[in-house]
Amino acid sequence: MEIYDYIIIGAGSAGCVLARGLTDNPENRVLLLEAGPSTDRFWVHTPAGMAKLFWHKELNWNYSTEPMPALGGRQMYWPRGKGLGGSSSINGMIFIRGHARDFDAWRDMGNPGWGYQDVLPYFKRIEHNERGADAYRGAGGPMWISDPALKMPSSFDFIASAERVGIPRTEDMNGELHDGVGFMQHTIRKGRRQSAYVAFLKPVEHRRNLTVRTGCLVQRILFENTTATGVEVICGGTRQMITAAKEVIVSAGSLNSPKLLMLSGVGPREELQRHGIRQLHELPGVGANLQDHFYVHTACRSTASSSYNHNIRGIRKYVEGARYLLTKGGYLALGASQVAAFVKSSPEVDYADLQISFRPMTFTFHASGHLEVDPQPGVGVSVYVLRPKTTGSVTLHSANPADPPKCTPNFLTDQDDVRAMISGIRQIRKIMGTAPIAARIVNEYLPGPQVQTDEQMLKFMVETGNTASHQSSTCKMGADAMAVVDERLRVRGIGRLRVVDASIMPQVTSGNINAPTLMIAAKGSDMIDQDGLSRRTIHV
């Protein structure tokens, strides 16, 4: 019988942080299980390689939503990382914590210990900011946070134009002033992606009290009465039962964590009955409250000096490749977007509810999955609602663990969200029509000048809107009837079982969610250590 103190399910952003934190104590024996493979590959390490990972058959779960009536029956592709580092190994590497008031709201929803002043020390602890430490930022932590390797002139002009229309400049949107416009930072170190695996797990893989296994799909959590005792897992085609002497920790992400709980008999009664799964414990909130950032992308043809499209096409892309191999610099060392503006959709909003992101390049995703950098110079600007009122669900297609989860996000079903998005498109146009960025624009082609009315903009969103891949909140933390975990991240009504990942967010944060996910895991690791459960008596 294999016995570990802690079994962590999922080696994504949260799982890697947890494995490091729990094995800091040499007395803890930790098993980290990951369904995907190793991610030690050139295009994973290369920031611009994210384009090649978007449809990757090995490193991506390649999920899709259910058809959405509000989007004309359209299904939406949802890439999710599969492998060591999870989505942090395939994402755009943007590091945004969210607004301080996001976390105060979590606290006020019945989660003591999760206010901004409570979580700030964990944000600081996990990072090494290349600018150095201050009251808000950390230095010396595992995750390297850097400025863009190249800052394009058009990015500076976008910031200047945003300031001219009344958006304040912020030098650090993870610092004192979140709302405003400025350069974003990324999880990139000396031109290489810093996934959670590279930053947190790889440096400690040699620890004798840590076992990491890839290619292992957990089938279900095992229980004795209502106490988690281990997992049933298939590794390399072999089914195994592995025992946890202290706790089982689910860190499989906002889509797979609720799926695994339901497969294990923990979840909404009707959903379990529908698939013939014996109910262990009814928790109606499992899989409910799905939140995501629905975004729309606008694009303009630009002057040649405003865009780096031509630098990464044709023969020039090989020159850039050589430059990257020699220096780890250049355009291949850049993250997804350079600049962000956090703005209000209307004066009545308390704090910024829209994120506008600018990138000095454009590309087209073809139906085949091939990404092609556009042949003409162009710049792209996207927008999404930060705290959407729309919620969806994650349920099951079947009781087969190999089947994907059933994802129903319900995008564009809340009129306040729709109105906010339309405001975002209009604000993008206002910025892009203001000097100095206006002088760099040849013409807008997405959505195009023919799209002017609210109805036309809604039609554009219906036809082209997409996910920002910030799925969260499907095992939310709280004290109400729909809460899945308490403020210590313990599954309600179940012993020795926790969920520690983005699924526990009561409300999605105001920005990209990788940074708060790392924070959740760092804080969760401390909680597990503080709670210090004794080992169960196991009869062999």
Side-chain angles (χ1 to χ4, degrees):
M1 180 184 294
E2 274 193 87
I3 303 174
Y4 297 86
D5 291 320
Y6 298 101
I7 299 175
I8 303 170
I9 303 167
S13 295
C16 289
V17 175
L18 280 169
R20 181 176 182 136
L22 292 176
T23 56
D24 283 345
N25 181 349
E27 298 300 314
N28 289 334
R29 299 164 298 177
V30 177
L31 172 65
L32 178 61
L33 295 170
E34 169 56 41
S38 167
T39 50
D40 189 10
R41 309 183 186 202
F42 175 78
W43 288 117
V44 173
H45 298 312
T46 305
M50 58 187 163
K52 294 184 177 293
L53 306 172
F54 195 76
W55 295 88
H56 202 283
K57 293 181 180 179
E58 294 178 87
L59 302 179
N60 200 317
W61 286 100
N62 298 304
Y63 288 150
S64 291
T65 68
E66 294 302 291
M68 291 172 281
L71 272 66
R74 181 159 63 95
Q75 287 184 279
M76 188 178 291
Y77 174 61
W78 276 12
R80 305 305 303 154
K82 182 181 183 182
L84 297 177
S87 292
S88 73
S89 291
I90 68 168
N91 68 5
M93 294 151 285
I94 293 170
F95 194 82
I96 297 288
R97 293 175 176 177
H99 198 285
R101 291 176 64 171
D102 293 341
F103 305 102
D104 289 344
W106 289 9
R107 177 199 62 205
D108 297 343
M109 291 176 189
N111 299 294
W114 288 90
Y116 180 65
Q117 292 303 322
D118 300 308
V119 303
L120 179 58
Y122 290 99
F123 276 122
K124 295 176 69 174
R125 190 174 87 182
I126 63 177
E127 75 174 22
H128 175 77
N129 194 293
E130 69 172 16
R131 299 179 187 175
D134 60 22
Y136 297 92
R137 306 308 300 260
M143 178 60 81
W144 194 285
I145 311 300
S146 66
D147 293 309
L150 292 171
K151 294 181 177 179
M152 293 286 289
S154 54
S155 296
F156 286 100
D157 284 355
F158 180 89
I159 292 171
S161 293
E163 287 186 279
R164 286 194 175 184
V165 303
I167 302 169
R169 175 75 180 265
T170 177
E171 295 302 326
D172 185 359
M173 54 196 62
N174 291 312
E176 184 176 6
L177 181 62
H178 176 268
D179 290 2
V181 62
F183 281 99
M184 292 188 282
Q185 290 191 299
H186 299 83
T187 52
I188 298 173
R189 180 179 185 180
K190 298 179 180 178
R192 287 168 63 90
R193 174 195 292 272
Q194 287 280 284
S195 68
Y197 166 70
V198 169
F200 291 91
L201 186 62
K202 189 174 182 179
V204 302
E205 272 188 307
H206 63 279
R207 288 179 174 174
R208 298 181 64 181
N209 61 335
L210 173 63
T211 301
V212 180
R213 292 186 186 168
T214 57
C216 293
L217 182 64
V218 176
Q219 307 294 288
R220 62 190 175 104
I221 301 162
L222 303 175
F223 297 93
E224 184 177 297
N225 298 319
T226 55
T227 297
T229 61
V231 296
E232 177 185 326
V233 61
I234 294 180
C235 288
T238 302
R239 188 179 300 270
Q240 300 173 258
M241 309 292 184
I242 307 175
T243 298
K246 290 187 176 181
E247 296 189 58
V248 175
I249 306 163
V250 182
S251 299
S254 294
L255 306 183
N256 286 326
S257 285
K259 171 191 164 185
L260 180 59
L261 289 178
M262 287 184 278
L263 290 173
S264 305
V266 178
R269 181 188 302 272
E270 290 183 2
E271 182 65 15
L272 302 184
Q273 288 178 342
R274 184 177 298 118
H275 301 288
I277 299 170
R278 185 179 69 85
Q279 181 175 296
L280 174 82
H281 179 63
E282 183 171 13
L283 270 182
V286 173
N289 196 46
L290 170 65
Q291 297 176 36
D292 189 18
H293 289 141
F294 174 86
Y295 90 97
V296 293
H297 180 69
T298 72
C300 299
R301 302 293 179 210
S302 71
T303 59
S305 64
S306 306
S307 169
Y308 60 86
N309 283 1
H310 66 287
N311 296 90
I312 50 178
R313 276 185 61 89
I315 192 67
R316 291 187 182 91
K317 70 181 179 183
Y318 298 106
V319 175
E320 276 302 311
R323 179 185 182 188
Y324 179 77
L325 289 172
L326 289 171
T327 68
K328 291 296 182 287
Y331 297 104
L332 298 190
L334 293 176
S337 297
Q338 292 217 327
V339 173
F342 289 89
V343 301
K344 295 181 179 182
S345 62
S346 72
E348 292 74 32
V349 177
D350 289 339
Y351 62 107
D353 61 334
L354 294 173
Q355 179 175 335
I356 295 172
S357 298
F358 174 84
R359 65 175 63 89
M361 59 89 67
T362 56
F363 55 84
T364 300
F365 269 118
H366 297 286
S368 64
H370 172 64
L371 179 145
E372 182 182 20
V373 177
D374 293 336
Q376 297 172 309
V379 297
V381 195
S382 61
V383 63
Y384 57 77
V385 178
L386 291 168
R387 296 176 301 282
K389 294 182 179 179
T390 302
T391 61
S393 65
V394 173
T395 52
L396 299 175
H397 277 295
S398 77
N400 183 352
D403 285 345
K406 185 176 182 180
C407 305
T408 309
N410 296 327
F411 288 140
L412 297 184
T413 57
D414 184 275
Q415 290 307 303
D416 287 342
D417 290 349
V418 171
R419 281 190 287 269
M421 290 291 288
I422 291 172
S423 169
I425 295 173
R426 295 194 186 282
Q427 290 189 58
I428 288 172
R429 283 178 162 170
K430 187 175 182 181
I431 296 169
M432 301 303 283
T434 300
I437 191 67
R440 295 183 176 275
I441 302 307
V442 175
N443 64 278
E444 174 192 291
Y445 68 92
L446 279 178
Q450 75 282 359
V451 175
Q452 293 294 333
T453 68
D454 288 0
E455 292 74 17
Q456 289 169 333
M457 289 188 184
L458 175 58
K459 183 173 183 290
F460 172 66
M461 289 189 277
V462 166
E463 293 174 348
T464 69
N466 215 318
T467 175
S469 296
H470 300 164
Q471 295 90 356
S472 73
S473 308
T474 52
C475 297
K476 78 167 188 173
M477 172 175 59
D480 61 277
M482 295 300 287
V484 176
V485 300
D486 64 14
E487 75 278 5
R488 306 293 291 180
L489 309 185
R490 299 171 297 203
V491 175
R492 292 188 169 277
I494 299 289
R496 299 182 182 267
L497 180 65
R498 300 191 204 226
V499 178
V500 184
D501 58 26
S503 70
I504 66 92
M505 295 181 181
Q507 179 175 280
V508 66
T509 49
S510 300
N512 304 67
I513 68 169
N514 191 243
T517 301
L518 299 174
M519 177 278 293
I520 287 167
K523 184 171 171 61
S525 174
D526 267 10
M527 288 177 166
I528 293 166
D529 184 61
Q530 292 160 4
D531 290 349
L533 293 187
S534 60
R535 294 186 175 100
R536 296 183 300 110
T537 300
I538 299 169
H539 303 286
V540 181

